[in-house]
Amino acid sequence: MPKLNENYLNVQDSYLFAEIARRVRTYEEKHPDKAASVIRLGIGDVTRPLTAGAVASLHEAVEMQADPETFKGYGPEQGYAFARNAVAEYYGRNGVKVDPDDVFISDGAKSDTGNITELFSKDNVILVPDPVYPVYVDTNTMDGKQIAYMNGTEKNDFLPMPDNSVKADIIYLCSPNNPTGACYNREQLQVWVDYALENEAVILFDSAYEAFVSQPELPRSIYEAEGAEKCAIEFCSLSKTAGFTGTRFSYTVVPKELVFTASNGQIMSLRDMWNRRQSTKFNGTPYIIQYAAAAVLSEEGMKECMENISYYMENARMIAETLRRKGISFTGGVNSPYIWFKCPNGMESWEFFDYLLENAQVVGTPGAGFGVNGKNYFRLTSFGTHENTKKAMERFEKLL
Ligand code: MLT
């Protein structure tokens, strides 16, 4: 009999968004007359199609794959040089210097933030904000690793800072934060980087929502903080920036400065370890996708993406207005596509989820899915269509 990884006994039966989908399916089966009117503002999945530039590049790349002269088989596991350069240039236009050699192309920030745990042993102190994207907690739990939580609450604007109560080895940060939409400022990020440098810790920085930062004084990359290349890995993705949730392209920056001493005194480079991991377990993002992603990351490509982002931010504005009119305080929606608010009438988040689904046929995400501090909170996404967001807000306003 195989001995199983019993750490799986310590995670919930299903992943948050799978559980939401299951509950919505059950509701629709029970109420077939209402199924058509269900509006999904739960998982942050985009509704705008790919930009014209992305589509044209995809077609072009398909043609190349049809021609023996330009056909490509296996590509470099780290990503093609043109894609890594496009990422570095994108950073450069935002004032951040990144070496293309430190860029690893992948198929999702979800995969990479989950897989990166393999580089670290079990006896680390891992600090994770609560609430936050559930993948960090689930993947470390599956690995049997111990997690220490740092509270994100209204008191600290959902932006926990180091408090020296634990000496962390690995710190997850997500800014703009999923689910709260809160975004660290430069000074706060510098405090985190200084803390990591002082404690020889590594920051795993998820910047998947950086393109939504609208206040120019706010940082979009951990590498805007001095010394971050010596202590931080950054994960980013085109899922939300360019509507690639179904197309799949992400990038992870592991600077060559990230080196630590092994127990036998040998120097180990996280970049080299990640390179070893990826070349062994990953065969790369498809050429066609990398080709389109490089076009998307160009100045012209990004202009098109920003039109879609503005579209979504108009939805965020609609949601925010409704909450304001209802006197419900919230965070997010300015530098993030997510809006996070306290459930009305003292309800708990799964209770409010059912209430909203049953009475308004609107699906959101219960805050409890992001950590215990989310127990009484709820997240709505602005990734719907204008029409559906407007309809959902009308129903919301009527109900509450
Ligand atoms: C979310 O809704 O939090 C995200 O869409 C999930 C993800 O990016 O994997």
Side-chain angles (χ1 to χ4, degrees):
M1 191 171 96
K3 295 187 181 52
L4 303 185
N5 177 356
E6 294 190 3
N7 296 312
Y8 275 67
L9 294 171
N10 302 325
V11 289
Q12 308 274 337
D13 280 351
S14 60
Y15 179 57
L16 172 64
F17 295 104
E19 174 60 18
I20 292 175
R22 189 192 64 77
R23 290 196 186 208
V24 175
R25 247 188 341 266
T26 306
Y27 174 81
E28 289 176 337
E29 277 159 20
K30 263 203 206 146
H31 306 276
D33 53 317
K34 302 253 175 70
S37 59
V38 170
I39 298 174
R40 288 170 169 77
L41 303 182
I43 190 166
D45 196 5
V46 293
T47 50
R48 306 288 301 152
L50 298 179
T51 61
V55 172
S57 306
L58 284 169
H59 282 300
E60 230 177 90
V62 169
E63 290 306 321
M64 288 183 212
Q65 288 296 69
D67 181 342
E69 294 296 314
T70 48
F71 170 76
K72 300 259 189 305
Y74 286 127
E77 295 91 353
Q78 305 77 4
Y80 284 96
F82 69 79
R84 303 169 90 185
N85 287 334
V87 169
E89 279 162 26
Y90 175 65
Y91 270 109
R93 289 203 305 279
N94 292 330
V96 174
K97 200 167 169 308
V98 158
D99 185 336
D101 279 349
D102 297 344
V103 173
F104 291 82
I105 306 300
S106 185
D107 63 356
K110 178 181 181 176
S111 334
D112 282 12
T113 52
N115 292 332
I116 202 85
T117 57
E118 288 180 27
L119 306 194
F120 304 104
S121 84
K122 291 208 191 325
D123 48 5
N124 283 295
V125 176
I126 302 172
L127 207 49
V128 178
D130 175 344
V132 88
Y133 186 42
V135 168
Y136 319 150
V137 169
D138 283 2
T139 53
N140 278 294
T141 307
M142 288 167 177
D143 260 8
K145 291 178 174 145
Q146 295 300 320
I147 298 166
Y149 293 94
M150 42 182 173
N151 293 319
T153 62
E154 277 174 29
K155 260 201 199 133
N156 59 15
D157 297 323
F158 298 100
L159 293 168
M161 296 299 296
D163 66 3
N164 293 318
S165 61
V166 285
K167 191 180 167 309
D169 301 302
I170 296 164
I171 303 153
Y172 283 83
L173 296 178
C174 176
S175 181
N177 179 275
N178 178 10
T180 67
C183 187
Y184 283 110
N185 65 30
R186 274 174 221 285
E187 293 70 33
Q188 290 169 320
L189 272 197
Q190 191 63 56
V191 170
W192 271 116
V193 166
D194 292 346
Y195 171 91
L197 291 173
E198 209 178 298
N199 291 282
E200 290 189 277
V202 177
I203 296 175
L204 303 179
F205 192 78
D206 185 347
S207 65
Y209 298 93
E210 56 83 28
F212 291 79
V213 172
S214 65
Q215 292 174 282
E217 68 277 16
L218 293 175
R220 292 168 54 172
S221 163
I222 186 83
Y223 302 120
E224 294 186 41
E226 210 175 309
E229 71 286 354
K230 294 193 203 94
C231 66
I233 295 176
E234 182 158 289
F235 305 87
C236 201
S237 150
L238 289 189
S239 282
K240 315 298 156 77
T241 304
F244 269 41
T245 51
T247 307
R248 312 308 307 154
F249 179 95
S250 69
Y251 48 96
T252 293
V253 180
V254 193
K256 55 181 71 56
E257 289 85 348
L258 272 175
V259 288
F260 295 91
T261 312
S263 53
N264 68 359
Q266 216 175 313
I267 301 295
M268 291 182 86
S269 146
L270 282 177
R271 185 199 170 281
D272 293 350
M273 289 168 75
W274 185 244
N275 188 42
R276 187 70 175 80
R277 192 261 169 215
Q278 290 297 81
S279 33
T280 306
K281 298 195 181 184
F282 184 57
N283 258 337
T285 305
Y287 171 72
I288 295 166
I289 307 297
Q290 293 193 52
Y291 189 83
V296 159
L297 287 160
S298 71
E299 215 165 340
E300 209 42 52
M302 268 303 141
K303 260 192 220 142
E304 283 186 296
C305 292
M306 288 317 290
E307 283 170 27
N308 283 342
I309 289 179
S310 305
Y311 175 97
Y312 295 131
M313 293 317 276
E314 171 57 21
N315 291 342
R317 194 199 55 73
M318 261 192 257
I319 298 170
E321 290 253 294
T322 308
L323 293 174
R324 247 181 239 118
R325 270 200 301 276
K326 286 280 155 193
I328 299 171
S329 64
F330 61 90
T331 57
V334 178
N335 298 298
S336 148
Y338 297 128
I339 293 184
W340 177 253
F341 58 94
K342 205 163 203 162
C343 303
N345 310 323
M347 275 189 251
E348 289 199 0
S349 65
W350 279 110
E351 187 187 355
F352 184 60
F353 172 89
D354 290 334
Y355 179 75
L356 203 57
L357 178 58
E358 272 160 31
N359 297 292
Q361 291 74 52
V362 172
V363 181
T365 307
F370 300 100
V372 293
N373 286 319
K375 192 173 101 184
N376 289 99
Y377 288 84
F378 205 71
R379 191 194 80 176
L380 288 176
T381 161
S382 61
F383 285 122
T385 61
H386 283 337
E387 192 196 2
N388 276 345
T389 308
K390 187 164 175 281
K391 237 190 260 172
M393 289 304 100
E394 282 163 5
R395 295 186 201 165
F396 190 97
E397 194 147 13
K398 227 178 186 175
L399 181 69
L400 294 161

